[in-house]
Amino acid sequence: MISETGFLLENGVELPFLGFGTYQIKEKGEEIITRALEAGYRHLDTARAYGNEQEIGRAIRQSALPRRELFLTSKVWKDDLGYDSTLRSFEASIKDLDVNYLDLFLIHWPLPHPKADWKRPDAETWKALERLYDEGAVRAIGVSNFLPHHLLNLFAHADTKPMVNQLEYHPGYIQQTTVAFCQSHGLQVEAWSPLGRRRILQEPLLLELGEKYGKSTAQICLRFALQNNVLPLPKASSSARMKENMDIFDFELSMEEMYRLMTMPETGWSGYHPDSFA
Ligand SMILES: NC(=O)c1ccc[n+]([C@@H]2O[C@H](COP(=O)([O-])OP(=O)(O)OC[C@H]3O[C@@H](n4cnc5c(N)ncnc54)[C@H](OP(=O)(O)O)[C@@H]3O)[C@@H](O)[C@H]2O)c1
């Protein structure tokens, strides 16, 4: 479901349409997040594994923005899967971010590290997320990089269903099976690497559409995600690119163009597959 400003989860929590990705923002992290907040981003995506929660926490504190105006996501890393270790990871995240709740908390990848059977660790981790949700420490819970079979395992054990799945998603790699599965089960899909980490920005079809609409190829990628009800999380370091990535609400790709983008040859995949990345 969609409101004027974001995607609505079934529990009524709203995810602002565009999130700001923070992977590889550690050096100068505080400065970059400060600029992102100044540019107008209110939805920040981080993870325990990014090592930047303290920098983000400092930028938030300095901004003096009311906590309720921000949407903060973090994730538990694959060597912390399990009930107690997930609760510890969550405590460390909110301490470093200097907040007393998260808006969204995700299991980062389905396989534990070192690689081992994933079904039980995932189910135990999910129980910890459910507890945090029941206690009001997080407003929504979900997963990242979960394929349908990983989700079916959670469904078999869950009292509260996952609400979000964050996946690699960009023109050239749209994970159609997993996205369709999620959308039919009421999970909001988020796009990581919505710009294919720049690998796809010179694709001829993106250049053609960029020229037609007077937009950059990055803006075409972000608009493409939104029109497929997928919430993009672009990362940018410069204020100019941060603002450019927000300027995607004044044009609309046609159905024909969406289908051309959805069926373009596969390209720009990161190479990380959830069943082998541990
Ligand atoms: N859940 C997961 O497993 C997972 C995995 C990967 C990422 N993520 C999340 O998704 C976020 C985004 O993914 P990502 O960082 O991998 O890649 P991305 O957002 O697709 O691409 C970021 C790259 O694109 C450049 N860029 C940004 N805006 C641009 C523009 N308008 N024109 C040209 N280049 C532009 C950035 O450059 P500058 O930085 O130099 O501006 C950076 O090099 C991450 O930061 C993280 O929060 C999650």
Side-chain angles (χ1 to χ4, degrees), residues 20-23 45-46 50 75 108-109 144-145 166 191-198 201 216 218 233-238 241 244-245:
F20 185 75
T22 69
Y23 180 53
D45 179 77
T46 184
Y50 300 170
K75 316 181 190 88
H108 205 145
W109 287 87
S144 178
N145 301 300
Q166 188 180 115
W192 67 254
S193 287
L195 313 176
R197 221 172 269 174
R198 284 193 170 164
L201 297 184
S216 69
L233 303 165
K235 174 250 179 187
S237 310
S238 77
R241 283 192 290 276
E244 178 184 322
N245 294 344

Side-chain angles (χ1 to χ4, degrees), residues 25-34 37 44 46 50-62 96-98:
I25 292 181
K26 166 88 178 145
E27 293 294 307
K28 299 194 184 164
E30 188 177 335
E31 187 187 321
I32 292 172
I33 300 301
T34 297
L37 294 171
L44 305 178
T46 184
Y50 300 170
N52 59 16
E53 290 171 318
Q54 288 185 3
E55 287 77 3
I56 294 175
R58 282 200 295 274
I60 291 173
R61 213 164 40 244
Q62 276 202 358
D96 284 354
L97 287 163
D98 196 16

Side-chain angles (χ1 to χ4, degrees), residues 59-231:
I60 291 173
R61 213 164 40 244
Q62 276 202 358
S63 76
L65 282 163
R67 172 67 185 88
R68 67 178 177 283
E69 286 186 20
L70 295 168
F71 190 96
L72 298 180
T73 301
S74 193
K75 316 181 190 88
V76 54
W77 189 234
K78 45 199 173 159
D79 49 14
D80 278 329
L81 297 189
Y83 188 82
D84 291 333
S85 42
T86 295
L87 294 178
R88 280 196 298 273
S89 173
F90 173 80
E91 286 304 322
S93 286
I94 59 168
K95 180 168 178 278
D96 284 354
L97 287 163
D98 196 16
V99 293
N100 52 20
Y101 69 92
L102 286 182
D103 296 280
L104 178 62
F105 193 45
L106 306 177
I107 307 178
H108 205 145
W109 287 87
L111 267 56
H113 176 80
K115 201 169 173 179
D117 174 50
W118 49 271
K119 288 192 175 177
R120 196 163 148 193
D122 279 7
E124 288 172 356
T125 304
W126 189 251
K127 285 290 157 209
L129 265 64
E130 284 180 330
R131 173 173 163 181
L132 293 167
Y133 181 65
D134 290 343
E135 289 176 347
V138 293
R139 296 173 66 225
I141 49 178
V143 295
S144 178
N145 301 300
F146 273 51
L147 301 174
H149 47 285
H150 305 125
L151 283 164
L152 287 173
N153 174 54
L154 290 193
F155 291 171
H157 297 93
D159 295 317
T160 305
K161 253 185 11 183
M163 302 166 192
V164 170
N165 194 4
Q166 188 180 115
L167 300 169
E168 179 174 357
Y169 183 93
H170 49 75
Y173 194 70
I174 59 169
Q175 307 211 53
Q176 208 155 6
T177 304
T178 303
V179 170
F181 180 91
C182 289
Q183 292 183 337
S184 69
H185 283 85
L187 278 83
Q188 176 63 48
V189 178
E190 296 184 335
W192 67 254
S193 287
L195 313 176
R197 221 172 269 174
R198 284 193 170 164
R199 291 182 294 270
I200 56 172
L201 297 184
Q202 294 305 314
E203 279 296 310
L205 177 54
L206 294 173
L207 290 166
E208 176 197 321
L209 296 175
E211 183 158 343
K212 173 176 170 186
Y213 289 103
K215 293 287 178 184
S216 69
T217 52
Q219 290 168 316
I220 299 293
C221 292
L222 300 173
R223 184 74 208 179
F224 167 75
L226 277 184
Q227 285 187 219
N228 274 333
N229 290 322
V230 173
L231 192 159

